[in-house]
């Protein structure tokens, strides 16, 4: 995992968990299989069936920081939009890749992110991970599914090492991946449904949390951190995580999928940490 903050110890997680009680209760009501009546972010009532399926209101969806920002299609880093030339079409053209991706292409083709890792989305992700508000993965997966404009065969969560999975009790990336695939089934015809599989990528090594590592050494630390248990020849694969910071974790997972033969690899993340 590639977290921007050192929320790593169990004691810290318990403190954070208590701080997210309201969101956890919201998550618990979602977990009972009922569509939510209130927005997961602002608690106001949800007006329409579409909002209730999504789990948050359209005001919050529209105000997520950086939700409409111009981003590099490859790494989802924000790029600066120059002013439109006079007479230009109103709809902006797709952004070209950022300079970093042009200079050193990563082992993935696309990154889809909902918004920046900033309030209130960061609060929601921390509540999911450390407040055990597991049902908050539903709104995140559903919103991400609506942003995918390319075909996919297989959706893979970034795996946790066995000790970390035992400590947390669940992998939030898997919960988001499952919700995403479920929502995607509403959007594409049968036969084009991707499947989610948590057993394809594994993480045999138990490394210290990436948040404790300097950004510049993360890629080296993660070399060969992941292994792929299945032949992915010719498949279009998405790798799901909650947050993308340096991109080192997702690049290492993508490299493993690529060595197993994947024809296309995209990252799908709830939040992208803006470059400092
Ligand atoms: Zn709201
Ligand atoms: Zn880029």
């Amino acid at each position: 995992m590639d977290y921007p903050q050192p929320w790593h110890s169990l004691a810290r997680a318990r403190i954070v968990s208590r701080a997210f009680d309201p969101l956890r209760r919201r998550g618990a009501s979602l977990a009972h299989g009922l569509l939510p009546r209130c927005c997961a972010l602002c608690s106001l009532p949800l007006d329409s069936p579409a909002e209730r399926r999504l789990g948050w209101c359209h005001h919050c969806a529209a105000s997520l920081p950086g939700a409409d920002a111009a981003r590099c299609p490859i790494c989802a880093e924000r790029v600066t939009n120059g002013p439109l030339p006079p007479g230009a079409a109103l709809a902006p053209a797709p952004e070209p890749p950022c300079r970093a991706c042009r200079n050193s292409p990563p082992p993935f083709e696309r990154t889809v992110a909902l918004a920046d890792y900033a309030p209130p989305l960061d609060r929601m992700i921390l509540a999911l991970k450390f407040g055990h508000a597991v049902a908050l993965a539903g709104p995140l997966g559903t919103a991400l599914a609506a942003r995918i404009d390319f075909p996919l065969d297989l959706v893979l969560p970034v795996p946790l090492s066995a000790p970390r999975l035992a400590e947390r009790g669940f992998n939030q990336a898997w919960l988001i991946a499952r919700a995403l695939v479920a929502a995607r089934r509403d959007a594409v015809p049968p036969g084009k449904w991707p499947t989610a599989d948590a057993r394809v990528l594994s993480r045999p090594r138990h490394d210290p949390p990436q948040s404790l590592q300097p950004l510049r050494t993360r890629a080296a630390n993660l070399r060969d951190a992941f292994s792929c248990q299945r032949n992915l020849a010719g498949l279009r694969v998405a790798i799901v995580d909650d947050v993308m910071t340096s991109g080192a974790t997702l690049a290492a997972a993508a490299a493993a999928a690529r060595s197993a033969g994947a024809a296309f690899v995209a990252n799908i993340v709830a939040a992208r940490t803006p470059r400092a």
Side-chain angles (χ1 to χ4, degrees):
M1 310 305 289
D2 197 7
Y3 304 133
Q5 295 184 30
W7 301 107
H8 57 283
S9 76
L10 212 50
R12 189 55 151 302
R14 287 196 186 108
I15 293 166
V16 173
S17 169
R18 280 197 292 275
F20 289 113
D21 269 350
L23 277 167
R24 181 167 45 193
R25 282 196 294 274
R26 186 79 32 74
S29 75
L30 283 167
H32 283 109
L34 299 171
L35 287 175
R37 295 192 172 277
C38 297
C39 173
L41 288 170
C42 71
S43 299
L44 289 176
L46 296 175
D47 295 330
S48 65
E51 283 187 342
R52 293 190 65 204
R53 271 196 302 276
L54 196 56
W56 48 29
C57 72
H58 66 276
H59 295 293
C60 284
S63 63
L64 289 178
D68 295 324
R71 294 181 185 274
C72 167
I74 298 178
C75 71
E77 186 66 72
R78 277 200 196 214
V79 291
T80 311
N81 246 340
L84 286 176
L90 282 180
E95 294 301 326
C98 71
R99 183 180 305 183
C101 288
R102 284 200 307 268
N103 289 346
S104 176
F108 43 80
E109 276 89 359
R110 290 287 302 274
T111 297
V112 173
L114 280 185
D116 289 337
Y117 187 75
L121 188 56
D122 57 352
R123 201 166 51 99
M124 190 172 176
I125 291 170
L126 290 172
L128 163 62
K129 255 170 30 185
F130 301 115
H132 291 247
V134 291
L136 291 176
L140 295 174
T142 305
L144 282 166
R147 291 201 164 214
I148 297 169
D149 58 0
F150 42 82
L152 286 173
D153 301 307
L154 198 55
V155 177
L156 311 175
V158 168
L160 299 177
S161 65
R164 189 141 301 128
L165 184 60
E167 177 188 309
R168 189 168 299 157
F170 61 93
N171 178 358
Q172 70 281 356
W174 168 238
L175 300 180
I176 297 171
R178 249 183 6 182
L180 186 153
V181 165
R184 192 83 188 134
R185 291 188 170 201
D186 295 335
V188 296
K192 296 187 188 293
W193 289 347
T195 52
D197 195 330
R199 295 159 304 181
V200 173
L201 288 177
S202 65
R203 191 170 197 161
R205 244 171 35 211
H206 183 55
D207 296 316
Q210 283 296 293
S211 56
L212 301 182
Q213 312 299 322
L215 284 178
R216 60 189 161 71
T217 62
R218 290 186 185 183
N221 297 338
L222 284 160
R223 198 163 295 134
D224 303 322
F226 298 100
S227 63
C228 190
Q229 312 298 323
R230 175 177 158 185
N231 180 357
L232 301 178
L235 294 180
R236 297 175 63 88
V237 171
I239 300 175
V240 175
D241 208 353
D242 51 353
V243 183
M244 178 174 182
T245 303
S246 70
T249 300
L250 284 153
R258 189 68 80 190
S259 354
F264 168 91
V265 181
N267 303 317
I268 300 179
V269 295
R272 180 71 161 104
T273 304
R275 189 175 287 151

